[in-house]
Amino acid sequence: MFDVVDPGPRFRFRLIGTTVASVIGDLTGQFIEETMSPEALQRHTEQMVDVTENLALRYMVGDLAWQDRPHIRFHRLLLPLSDDQRRANILLGIAYY
């Protein structure tokens, strides 16, 4: 889960599941820009802003290379959670490795 923090929006890791943490580490409380390369950050931020502002879901399949480990194929579903039905304030990400 990610908190949507204004202004920006910026995205902060709110909760990380055990399996994801075992692959990338426990990033709880960190902003995504503290954890990604500029290229990955731009790609992920564009998707997360779209989900936030348009209450749209995003599904992607990709390869994750992390901390000199071989790549891992993953599937991710990103869903908006909103308390006002106009803009997401939390994003729920579901990943399958």
Side-chain angles (χ1 to χ4, degrees):
M1 294 179 85
F2 301 91
D3 288 319
V4 179
V5 179
D6 287 320
R10 294 175 69 200
F11 303 96
R12 181 176 50 225
F13 289 94
R14 178 187 188 117
L15 176 69
I16 296 181
T18 306
T19 301
V20 174
S22 71
V23 174
I24 65 171
D26 185 2
L27 304 176
T28 302
Q30 294 185 45
F31 285 94
I32 64 169
E33 65 264 22
E34 300 170 331
T35 67
M36 296 181 184
S37 70
E39 299 81 25
L41 177 63
Q42 181 178 353
R43 185 175 58 251
H44 287 282
T45 299
E46 289 171 359
Q47 293 175 9
M48 295 171 90
V49 168
D50 181 44
V51 173
T52 298
E53 294 179 353
N54 298 310
L55 298 177
L57 63 86
R58 283 291 190 113
Y59 176 76
M60 71 176 289
V61 178
D63 293 321
L64 173 67
W66 192 263
Q67 299 173 345
D68 299 325
R69 296 179 188 168
H71 79 272
I72 299 169
R73 175 64 51 139
F74 73 94
H75 300 254
R76 184 190 74 188
L77 179 62
L78 194 58
L79 303 167
L81 302 176
S82 175
D83 57 4
D84 65 5
Q85 300 303 309
R86 284 183 245 137
R87 188 169 186 268
N89 56 310
I90 295 174
L91 302 183
L92 174 63
I94 301 167
Y96 173 75
Y97 297 95

